[in-house]
Amino acid sequence: MPIKSSSIYVHLFGKPAWELEGLEGNELDESFAEKIESLAEDLNERLKEVAKALRILIKNGWKAYGGLYDIYLTKDIPKEEAEEELRRLGLDYLEVEEEEFEEEEELEEEEELEVEEELEAEELE
């Protein structure tokens, strides 16, 4: 029977050109400093919220892994259960994805069967 796992991707921040409109390839004047200050305030709030969510999720059994622009969290529970947990924790703004994995024993049995079938096919040749 497959194991259901839920995952969440939490975006941290992107490349400067993604975050600052008009940055890439343009000559900048003094007014661009205001855009940078605005982004600094936005990043400050965004990252504080991410840190809060990360603490809560880890305390509740989620495993977290770092990515290039985000944090990936996973827990071996069905999507519906994960969504309910996020509601209870006040984090229901996070989007949950569900993945299914074969149990280790089932994978080994399938691999053994494939090897046996290959051997039988070779014997028939």
Side-chain angles (χ1 to χ4, degrees):
M1 174 173 256
I3 297 172
K4 291 188 177 185
S5 179
S6 293
S7 57
I8 302 169
Y9 291 88
V10 181
H11 180 72
L12 296 171
F13 49 87
K15 294 179 181 181
W18 296 353
E19 301 278 350
L20 290 164
E21 187 176 327
L23 171 67
E24 193 169 6
N26 294 313
E27 182 176 342
L28 308 176
D29 60 21
E30 190 177 314
S31 68
F32 199 78
E34 291 175 24
K35 284 187 175 185
I36 294 172
E37 288 172 337
S38 177
L39 175 61
E41 291 170 14
D42 179 56
L43 281 173
N44 182 38
E45 290 303 312
R46 190 182 337 161
L47 294 176
K48 283 181 179 180
E49 188 64 30
V50 168
K52 176 184 168 188
L54 184 61
R55 282 188 192 98
I56 292 170
L57 291 168
I58 290 173
K59 284 179 183 176
N60 282 275
W62 289 77
K63 293 189 189 236
Y65 303 91
L68 189 57
Y69 300 106
D70 55 17
I71 294 174
Y72 168 77
L73 296 112
T74 185
K75 190 171 184 179
D76 289 338
I77 57 175
K79 181 178 181 178
E80 297 77 25
E81 193 176 323
E83 289 172 336
E84 177 55 37
E85 181 177 338
L86 292 178
R87 272 190 292 280
R88 201 173 19 81
L89 297 172
L91 301 172
D92 53 333
Y93 59 89
L94 296 173
E95 187 176 328
V96 178
E97 296 178 20
E98 185 173 69
E99 301 174 21
E100 285 191 16
F101 299 97
E102 295 292 325
E103 287 189 53
E104 195 69 35
E105 288 178 17
E106 288 181 14
L107 288 175
E108 289 174 8
E109 288 173 10
E110 287 177 18
E111 289 171 2
E112 287 175 13
L113 186 60
E114 288 174 7
V115 169
E116 287 176 16
E117 289 173 354
E118 288 175 13
L119 290 174
E120 287 174 9
E122 288 176 7
E123 288 175 4
L124 295 174
E125 291 178 358

